[in-house]
């Protein structure tokens, strides 16, 4: 198999078209098209469905891309390491991270990593949706309580939990009385199951404010609007200062942040370096460590 043709096929597959790949890499569009055609003839397979406006991988093309894209990356990394005489991490590192963790910690993490590894071009994308690492070209994803996926491996590097907090002037009512609440997501009446120092209880909530971000929820609670469920790492400084009151822990609300990567990939030096950086930032992986890291 012609490795140059295979590399050009991967370029076109990754960028989603001959024109896009040509513009992104500076390669002639005609050359890319010719190389892909030569590869199809050599394999006796159609790798792309060529429409009038769109280019789509065939089933065989997708299988070839998934099996060769990471291998070609590893070959490039190996050649670069050999030519430089060093295994120092270098090249592009693409990471997908959830919104709240990105807002509170990823800026500081990415800055520290960039200073330590200046030859790595770090790209962080913030999104809470599930991403296809292979299809979308991510080297690493950070996810909250991810579902089991046999194609990915990794580890939980941080743990957190949800607590119910409220301003000091709002008193915890009896289970039959609703309390004004700030919620994330849909509106409507809610009941929260909470473990207090006196045992389990239920808190009825009348949502007076519905927001899409936990940072916004925290700021609204700080302003005195109502009670809310929030990660304890996000409000631990407020609790210590007495500006917010801890009403209890939300039952079954344990949170784990995982760093995941494709299991069939030889772990690159860039990914290894980033995983080590996370371990150094959060050696115990506790909510208290995260709270101390992000500050007040």
């Amino acid at each position: 198999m012609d490795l140059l043709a295979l590399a050009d096929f991967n370029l076109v597959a990754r960028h989603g078209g001959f024109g896009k790949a040509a513009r992104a890499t500076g390669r002639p569009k005609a050359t890319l098209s010719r190389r892909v055609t030569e590869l199809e003839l050599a394999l006796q397979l159609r790798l792309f469905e060529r429409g009038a406006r769109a280019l789509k991988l065939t089933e065989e093309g997708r299988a070839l891309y998934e099996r060769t894209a990471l291998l070609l990356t590893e070959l490039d990394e190996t050649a670069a390491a050999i030519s430089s005489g060093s295994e120092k991490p270098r090249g592009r590192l693409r990471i997908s991270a959830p919104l709240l963790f990105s807002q509170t910690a990823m800026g500081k993490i990415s800055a520290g990593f960039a200073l330590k590894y200046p030859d790595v071009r770090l790209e962080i994308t913030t999104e809470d949706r599930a991403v296809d690492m292979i299809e979308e070209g991510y080297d690493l994803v950070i996810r909250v309580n991810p579902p089991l996926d046999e194609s990915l491996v990794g580890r939980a590097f941080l743990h957190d939990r949800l607590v119910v907090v409220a301003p000091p002037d709002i008193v915890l009512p009896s289970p039959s009385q609703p309390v004004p609440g700030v919620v994330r997501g849909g509106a409507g009446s809610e009941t929260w199951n909470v473990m207090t120092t006196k045992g389990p209880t239920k808190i009825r909530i009348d949502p007076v404010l519905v927001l899409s971000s936990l940072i916004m929820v925290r700021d609204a609670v700080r302003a005195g609007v109502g009670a809310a469920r929030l990660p304890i790492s996000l409000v631990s400084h407020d609790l210590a200062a007495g500006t917010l009151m801890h009403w209890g822990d939300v039952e079954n609300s344990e949170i784990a942040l995982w760093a995941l990567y494709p299991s069939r990939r030889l772990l690159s030096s860039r990914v290894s370096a980033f995983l080590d950086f996370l371990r150094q930032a959060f050696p115990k992986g506790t909510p208290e460590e995260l709270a101390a890291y992000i500050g007040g």
Side-chain angles (χ1 to χ4, degrees):
M1 186 181 297
D2 187 339
L3 285 179
L4 291 178
L6 185 61
D8 284 345
F9 159 74
N10 274 267
L11 283 176
V12 176
R14 183 165 68 248
H15 291 285
F18 292 103
K20 293 179 181 179
R23 289 190 293 273
T25 62
R27 301 285 306 286
K29 180 179 177 181
T31 300
L32 294 174
S33 179
R34 176 172 55 83
R35 286 273 176 77
V36 170
T37 300
E38 291 173 351
L39 183 62
E40 288 179 319
L41 291 173
L43 296 175
Q44 296 185 345
L45 292 172
R46 180 177 291 276
L47 301 175
F48 291 105
E49 295 292 349
R50 295 164 173 82
R53 295 185 177 180
L55 191 72
K56 183 179 179 181
L57 282 166
T58 63
E59 184 176 345
E60 294 81 7
R62 184 179 303 279
L64 182 64
Y65 177 60
E66 291 180 352
R67 287 167 172 78
T68 61
L70 298 176
L71 294 175
L72 288 173
T73 300
E74 294 298 333
L75 285 173
D76 289 341
E77 292 174 357
T78 301
I82 292 174
S83 64
S84 65
S86 170
E87 290 296 331
K88 185 178 180 181
R90 62 180 67 247
R92 188 176 69 162
L93 177 59
R94 296 192 69 228
I95 298 175
S96 170
L99 177 62
L100 181 61
F101 187 65
S102 295
Q103 290 176 327
T104 56
M106 279 304 289
K108 184 176 178 180
I109 290 171
S110 59
F113 184 83
L115 291 171
K116 187 173 182 178
Y117 300 102
D119 292 331
V120 176
R121 294 294 174 261
L122 187 59
E123 299 178 11
I124 307 291
T125 300
T126 297
E127 51 200 351
D128 287 327
R129 68 180 180 87
V131 300
D132 186 322
M133 293 189 64
I134 304 298
E135 184 72 17
E136 300 180 49
Y138 286 109
D139 301 288
L140 186 76
V141 297
I142 296 173
R143 284 294 173 265
V144 177
N145 295 342
L148 179 63
D149 188 336
E150 294 180 355
S151 68
L152 301 178
V153 295
R155 72 177 188 94
F157 66 94
L158 264 178
H159 296 271
D160 211 338
R161 69 182 187 277
L162 293 180
V163 295
V164 175
V165 297
D169 58 347
I170 297 181
V171 178
L172 176 63
S174 66
S176 62
Q177 295 177 312
V179 65
V182 184
V183 300
R184 181 188 181 193
S189 61
E190 296 190 18
T191 300
W192 297 340
N193 296 318
V194 181
M195 179 61 70
T196 70
T197 55
K198 298 179 180 180
T201 189
K202 295 182 182 293
I203 300 176
R204 288 182 58 203
I205 295 296
D206 177 20
V208 296
L209 196 55
V210 181
L211 302 171
S212 62
S213 162
L214 288 177
I215 295 290
M216 296 165 64
V217 172
R218 181 198 61 183
D219 292 345
V221 174
R222 283 176 170 175
V225 175
R229 294 182 299 186
L230 287 165
I232 192 169
S233 63
L234 202 59
V235 293
S236 62
H237 295 282
D238 301 274
L239 297 176
T243 54
L244 291 179
M245 305 305 294
H246 179 211
W247 281 4
D249 293 358
V250 177
E251 292 184 355
N252 302 317
S253 66
E254 290 74 17
I255 300 168
L257 270 75
W258 285 71
L260 303 167
Y261 51 90
S263 59
R264 61 178 175 271
R265 176 174 185 171
L266 292 174
L267 197 59
S268 73
S269 58
R270 298 186 303 276
V271 174
S272 294
F274 193 84
L275 291 174
D276 288 340
F277 197 83
L278 288 178
R279 293 188 191 100
Q280 293 167 13
F282 311 107
K284 297 180 180 178
T286 63
E288 292 74 20
E289 281 186 333
L290 178 56
Y293 193 85
I294 65 179

